[in-house]
Amino acid sequence: MCQLLGMNCATPTDITFSFKGFSQRAGVTSDHADGWGIAFFENKACRLFIDNQSAVNSPIADCLRRNPIKSKNVIAHIRKATQGNIEVENSHPFMRELWGRHWIFAHNGDLKNYAPVLNGTYLPVGTTDSELAYCALLQGLRDRFGNNEPDLAEIFSVLAELAPTIAAHGTFNFMLSNGQALFAYATTNLHWLIRSWPFSQAHLVDMDLDIDFSHYAKPDDRVAVIATEPLTDNEQWTAFTSGELLGFENGHLRYQAQTHVKLIEPPTQPVQEQAFANAV
Amino acid sequence: MCQLLGMNCATPTDITFSFKGFSQRAGVTSDHADGWGIAFFENKACRLFIDNQSAVNSPIADCLRRNPIKSKNVIAHIRKATQGNIEVENSHPFMRELWGRHWIFAHNGDLKNYAPVLNGTYLPVGTTDSELAYCALLQGLRDRFGNNEPDLAEIFSVLAELAPTIAAHGTFNFMLSNGQALFAYATTNLHWLIRSWPFSQAHLVDMDLDIDFSHYAKPDDRVAVIATEPLTDNEQWTAFTSGELLGFENGHLRYQAQTHVKLIEPPTQPVQEQAFANAV
């Protein structure tokens, strides 16, 4: 399993406070030490940092904690390997291009017996179930809209159709962004909150660090934060319901859908084994 | 214009020495200060670092100089903007996926009246002529081979057909890698050398720094270095001829083609102006 962190804002915002707490989970307060990654959008493009070291020890993670990159859309991931080796090719987030924008995806969960039919437009580089799911999502969007870039409501609507078909294979908590909005989906574990004017103080769960955002933020700042587990212990986090898809834009919750996930039953036992079980 | 640096090796190799000299050109020994980027392959995937700051001042560039990443294929770029603003979306190298591998491209030059017909499979995220050319190259490869990944000789052969059609629009020096090989093409300015056993001493052009590779390298190490301008002043660099495409694999020069570039003439003068000119 892994942990996810996302941020969607009205104005370019520094994620350092949240990332400091989050990256403690890569070996200090939790054992998600098999690689990490973070993507910062600037308009249609993003800067992606991935690493197969722990986010606690990685010099690049340290550099990012000391030199903040402001962004309106950020997705970060710390990995505890379940499927796929600890290699760069298996480090989330994954980046692809669609309709002349970078798209970023990160997944927490484990999909079983998942083998989507991919037409070659997007193929996985690594060996994770996560990247397979990402290719299937982008192929699904492209199949539906061709070369005509849809608006965010249309994208959200297709994601709400596609997500439960993938979630039928197991645990599927994910974040996806094209630099305009951040979409987040949960089957088991994801939380969100929105910080807005007048900002207040926050204290991290994973280290004894607090910040008073009211000293730094301006009235038009507005920040949605989404994380596998709440990052702070003195703010009100809302848990996603199972099958819930949310879409955040400019720090506002803009889109909400409740999908219905029906887990695909594991293959039935072979006849011989079944006969034996019945005999016992 | 911009400057390019590439490395193709038999074993994962540290590019720090070359990158130290190269990044001096981003403001110290030259004025290529409008962004930089570097991509390090690890098998089929790569780690890409891009920045719209100067490589001299960038904290990330500094971190990479202090914390070497070993790789068999590296492409780096420092930018002096000609087309496209100084934005992350216009920072080379550019990354896309094809046949389940990351592909990396960086360009030095300037293309005029270049408007390839793109079918939507690969679209530029930024506004550079370079990313347009990259999308056209990948589309050309995909058009030729569909979903069947060709071998390196076949890829090289198609690149030798496509490169001069783009170079017809201006200056087109580029590097391209899929993690297996590094392809480099020049119309005006590119140099290469190969370092192999027994290694010797090298001294940078751009700063007073030398290294004796024989103290670090092993007999099976072998490194091809390609750069816009020679990086060292005591080694034998070979200049590309105009229209030359080279393919390096495991630190060996494996493929060579001489293409014939015919520059497209600029549009003729409108009739009225021509009549006036004739009258004078």
Side-chain angles (χ1 to χ4, degrees):
Chain A
M1 294 296 202
C2 310
Q3 291 213 13
L4 302 173
L5 166 64
M7 184 177 76
N8 168 273
C9 317
T11 54
T13 302
D14 167 6
I15 200 173
T16 308
F17 174 75
S18 296
F19 186 62
K20 273 184 181 162
F22 182 69
S23 55
Q24 288 290 301
R25 299 176 183 179
V28 179
T29 55
S30 187
D31 59 349
H32 297 77
D34 300 331
W36 66 281
I38 190 167
F40 301 88
F41 271 95
E42 296 188 22
N43 301 320
K44 295 191 294 176
C46 78
R47 301 174 65 182
L48 171 65
F49 300 88
I50 51 173
D51 202 347
N52 49 5
Q53 294 183 55
S54 148
V56 174
N57 304 321
S58 157
I60 300 290
D62 185 52
C63 179
L64 293 175
R65 283 187 290 262
R66 286 183 291 104
N67 300 278
I69 295 174
K70 290 192 173 188
S71 171
K72 289 175 65 178
N73 285 285
V74 178
I75 293 177
H77 181 272
I78 49 176
R79 182 160 184 247
K80 184 175 176 185
T82 52
Q83 292 187 32
N85 293 335
I86 305 170
E87 308 257 357
V88 164
E89 66 189 32
N90 292 333
S91 292
H92 310 221
F94 301 104
M95 182 169 88
R96 292 290 191 282
E97 175 260 312
L98 173 60
W99 299 312
R101 295 178 183 278
H102 287 154
W103 286 68
I104 288 289
F105 173 88
H107 169 221
N108 150 239
D110 203 8
L111 303 170
K112 304 285 189 197
N113 304 310
Y114 179 58
V117 178
L118 298 176
N119 64 18
T121 315
Y122 298 99
L123 292 176
V125 173
T127 53
T128 61
D129 52 345
S130 310
E131 200 184 4
L132 269 180
Y134 183 32
C135 293
L137 281 176
L138 291 185
Q139 179 178 302
L141 285 168
R142 192 184 271 275
D143 281 351
R144 189 67 61 93
F145 300 108
N147 286 338
N148 305 309
E149 185 178 12
D151 63 27
L152 292 173
E154 291 171 307
I155 291 169
F156 183 84
S157 163
V158 172
L159 292 176
E161 285 175 40
L162 297 173
T165 67
I166 300 172
H169 293 270
T171 313
F172 193 46
N173 306 303
F174 76 79
M175 292 189 197
L176 174 72
S177 178
N178 67 347
Q180 297 179 298
L182 194 148
F183 305 102
Y185 183 77
T187 59
T188 58
N189 202 10
L190 211 52
H191 297 77
W192 65 277
L193 59 68
I194 289 176
R195 297 187 183 122
S196 62
W197 190 262
F199 289 84
S200 56
Q201 200 182 51
H203 180 265
L204 289 177
V205 172
D206 297 274
M207 59 195 297
D208 189 16
L209 183 70
D210 55 17
I211 190 170
D212 190 339
F213 290 113
S214 69
H215 293 174
Y216 305 97
K218 299 181 297 297
D220 58 348
D221 287 337
R222 192 176 170 89
V223 181
V225 183
I226 306 103
T228 300
E229 295 289 350
L231 291 165
T232 55
D233 53 17
N234 61 340
E235 295 180 296
Q236 191 66 43
W237 292 78
T238 304
F240 282 59
T241 60
S242 181
E244 191 174 34
L245 177 69
L246 300 180
F248 299 89
E249 189 185 358
N250 293 320
H252 288 271
L253 176 60
R254 292 273 194 216
Y255 308 98
Q256 193 275 344
Q258 180 62 52
T259 72
H260 298 284
V261 179
K262 185 161 183 282
L263 271 178
I264 292 172
E265 296 295 324
T268 52
Q269 291 174 303
V271 175
Q272 206 178 348
E273 274 187 47
Q274 213 161 17
F276 178 74
N278 288 341
V280 173
Chain B
M1 294 297 202
C2 310
Q3 290 213 13
L4 303 172
L5 166 64
M7 184 177 76
N8 169 273
C9 317
T11 54
T13 302
D14 167 6
I15 199 174
T16 307
F17 175 73
S18 297
F19 186 62
K20 273 184 182 163
F22 182 68
S23 55
Q24 289 290 300
R25 299 177 184 178
V28 179
T29 55
S30 188
D31 59 349
H32 297 77
D34 300 332
W36 66 280
I38 191 165
F40 301 88
F41 271 95
E42 295 187 24
N43 300 321
K44 294 192 294 175
C46 78
R47 300 174 65 180
L48 172 64
F49 300 88
I50 52 173
D51 203 347
N52 50 5
Q53 294 182 54
S54 147
V56 174
N57 304 321
S58 158
I60 300 291
D62 184 52
C63 180
L64 293 175
R65 283 186 291 262
R66 287 184 291 104
N67 300 279
I69 295 175
K70 290 191 173 187
S71 171
K72 288 175 66 177
N73 284 285
V74 179
I75 293 178
H77 181 273
I78 49 176
R79 182 160 184 248
K80 185 175 176 184
T82 52
Q83 292 187 32
N85 293 335
I86 303 170
E87 308 257 357
V88 164
E89 65 189 32
N90 292 332
S91 293
H92 310 220
F94 301 105
M95 183 169 89
R96 292 290 191 283
E97 175 261 312
L98 174 60
W99 298 312
R101 295 178 183 278
H102 287 153
W103 286 68
I104 288 288
F105 174 87
H107 169 222
N108 150 238
D110 203 8
L111 303 170
K112 305 285 189 195
N113 304 310
Y114 179 59
V117 178
L118 298 176
N119 64 19
T121 316
Y122 299 99
L123 292 176
V125 174
T127 54
T128 61
D129 52 345
S130 310
E131 199 183 5
L132 269 180
Y134 183 33
C135 292
L137 281 175
L138 291 185
Q139 179 178 303
L141 285 168
R142 192 185 272 274
D143 281 352
R144 190 67 61 93
F145 300 108
N147 285 338
N148 305 308
E149 185 178 14
D151 63 27
L152 293 173
E154 292 172 306
I155 291 169
F156 183 84
S157 164
V158 172
L159 291 176
E161 283 174 42
L162 297 173
T165 66
I166 300 172
H169 292 270
T171 313
F172 193 46
N173 307 303
F174 77 78
M175 292 188 197
L176 175 71
S177 179
N178 66 348
Q180 296 178 299
L182 194 150
F183 305 102
Y185 183 76
T187 59
T188 58
N189 202 10
L190 212 50
H191 297 78
W192 65 278
L193 60 67
I194 288 176
R195 297 186 183 122
S196 63
W197 189 263
F199 289 84
S200 57
Q201 201 182 50
H203 179 265
L204 289 178
V205 173
D206 297 275
M207 59 195 296
D208 189 17
L209 184 70
D210 54 17
I211 191 170
D212 190 339
F213 290 112
S214 68
H215 293 173
Y216 305 96
K218 299 181 298 296
D220 58 348
D221 287 338
R222 192 174 171 92
V223 181
V225 183
I226 307 103
T228 299
E229 296 289 348
L231 291 164
T232 55
D233 53 17
N234 62 341
E235 295 180 294
Q236 190 66 43
W237 291 78
T238 304
F240 282 59
T241 60
S242 181
E244 191 173 35
L245 177 69
L246 300 180
F248 298 90
E249 189 185 359
N250 293 320
H252 288 270
L253 176 59
R254 291 274 194 214
Y255 308 98
Q256 192 276 344
Q258 180 61 52
T259 73
H260 298 283
V261 179
K262 186 161 182 285
L263 271 178
I264 292 172
E265 296 296 324
T268 53
Q269 292 174 303
V271 175
Q272 206 178 347
E273 273 188 48
Q274 213 162 17
F276 179 73
N278 288 343
V280 170

